[in-house]
Amino acid sequence: AFAAKRVRFQVGAGLLLTRMGRGYLARSRVRSLVYRVTRLQALWRAHKVQRGAGRKLRLMREALRAAHEAAKNKPKIGEATTTSLQVLLTTSNLGFVLKAVQLLDLSTSASVACCEQLLSSGALAVLVKLIRTCNRSAPHVQVATHAVSVLRNVCRYDYMMPVVFAAPDVVDTLTELLAIHRDKPEITTACLMTLRYFASRGEYARAMRSRKDSVGRLQSLAVSIERKNHAPGSSRPRVPFVRPTSRSGLPRTPTRRTPASVRSPAGAKRAAERSAHSETASLLHSLLEALV
């Protein structure tokens, strides 16, 4: 009986060892298979990503090459100034003239050489004549704005200011433009800054002072702006205080509520107009002080 029990024990132990060995070998084969499949999937996904990235990189290189060719073919600021001067001197088409003065405004604000090229080409007299012929329509207002801005850009340099001041009727033209477009801050600011450049020199201030019509227009414009700033409808709305209340009964610092007229787009527009009118008034006041 003992021998039979021992035999059964040995047989069960052998079966258990066999079963454990077979399970270990099967699990090893499955782990190896899973690793190989996972590795194969990773390689395939990497290949797909690299192939897509290569296509994207190729498209990016083509876009960069096209942008480089477009930038190389695009005219430089000096060439644009030359083309604009030719258009300004030879063309009367309003659309072409508007594009020309826009380019001149940009180039003279960025380059001294473009300002010198403008003066040497003789286009200054054409600009002044162009300003005199502008009316109150929207395209003419844009042309006049950019043309006056060109004069302001050139007047920033002291050695170019005598050439601008010697242009025919430049002071009368700017004061007339101020009187016509007094409600347009972009034009009035550029005109007043140009005249302020002139008035910063004593001899030019005396010459401007001798022009009674121009000084009279400036004084009437100052009176008009002062009347508009102090008109009842243009005063700022009264901002009410919020009553300081607190649940705990402790005093709270009074705060101001922003009125709806200021928070709304129309209120913001009116605030911007008031700011522009105040800037125009300060420029005009400093100009009149320099002249008087």
Side-chain angles (χ1 to χ4, degrees):
F2 178 76
K5 186 183 290 186
R6 185 173 181 178
V7 169
R8 285 197 300 271
F9 177 77
Q10 290 178 352
V11 171
L15 292 176
L16 179 61
L17 289 174
T18 304
R19 187 165 62 247
M20 291 180 65
R22 289 176 179 174
Y24 173 76
L25 293 176
R27 286 192 296 272
S28 298
R29 286 195 297 269
V30 171
R31 281 197 297 267
S32 176
L33 182 62
V34 169
Y35 173 77
R36 292 172 184 174
V37 171
T38 305
R39 184 62 180 168
L40 184 62
Q41 288 178 348
L43 291 175
W44 172 247
R45 290 171 181 170
H47 173 68
K48 287 180 64 178
V49 170
Q50 291 173 0
R51 186 176 60 183
R55 183 168 58 250
K56 290 180 181 179
L57 288 175
R58 185 176 67 254
L59 294 176
M60 290 174 63
R61 283 195 294 267
E62 292 177 357
L64 287 174
R65 193 178 299 112
H68 177 69
E69 293 295 330
K72 187 166 61 177
N73 297 330
K74 190 175 181 179
K76 306 298 187 294
I77 187 169
E79 298 175 358
T81 304
T82 304
T83 306
S84 302
L85 290 173
Q86 290 177 356
V87 170
L88 189 63
L89 293 172
T90 58
T91 307
S92 59
N93 186 289
L94 186 59
F96 294 155
V97 170
L98 178 57
K99 291 182 179 179
V101 292
Q102 286 176 345
L103 285 174
L104 285 176
D105 187 8
L106 176 63
S107 60
T108 52
S109 64
S111 173
V112 184
C114 293
C115 297
E116 295 175 351
Q117 185 179 359
L118 172 69
L119 297 182
S120 62
S121 65
L124 195 61
V126 179
L127 273 178
V128 177
K129 183 179 178 181
L130 182 64
I131 294 172
R132 292 183 69 91
T133 57
C134 289
N135 53 34
R136 292 181 62 87
S137 64
H140 283 85
V141 168
Q142 293 181 6
V143 170
T145 302
H146 290 292
V148 176
S149 182
V150 170
L151 296 182
R152 179 191 58 190
N153 296 334
V154 176
C155 287
R156 291 181 302 169
Y157 307 101
D158 293 337
Y159 67 96
M160 300 185 193
M161 194 187 302
V163 184
V164 181
F165 190 79
D169 300 330
V170 63
V171 176
D172 294 336
T173 302
L174 292 177
T175 53
E176 288 177 5
L177 193 67
L178 276 172
I180 295 173
H181 302 284
R182 64 180 65 189
D183 55 338
K184 294 179 173 56
E186 61 274 9
I187 295 183
T188 55
T189 302
C191 291
L192 289 173
M193 289 183 68
T194 307
L195 293 173
R196 188 68 182 85
Y197 283 136
F198 291 154
S200 61
R201 287 195 176 186
E203 62 273 18
Y204 298 159
R206 288 191 294 270
M208 293 171 65
R209 202 177 298 123
S210 63
R211 299 174 181 268
K212 301 300 182 183
D213 295 338
S214 300
V215 176
R217 291 193 193 100
L218 293 175
Q219 290 175 348
S220 64
L221 179 61
V223 171
S224 174
I225 292 177
E226 190 71 19
R227 188 185 303 116
K228 181 178 293 187
N229 289 337
H230 290 284
S234 64
S235 60
R236 295 185 61 182
R238 189 177 64 86
V239 181
F241 278 95
V242 179
R243 180 172 297 178
T245 58
S246 176
R247 291 184 178 180
S248 60
L250 297 176
R252 193 169 58 184
T253 304
T255 57
R256 288 180 179 270
R257 281 182 183 170
T258 305
S261 60
V262 176
R263 293 195 303 266
S264 63
K269 183 178 179 181
R270 286 194 296 269
E273 289 178 355
R274 283 196 299 268
S275 176
H277 282 303
S278 63
E279 182 183 1
T280 302
S282 61
L283 282 172
L284 186 55
H285 182 66
S286 64
L287 176 60
L288 289 174
E289 281 185 351
L291 292 178
V292 175

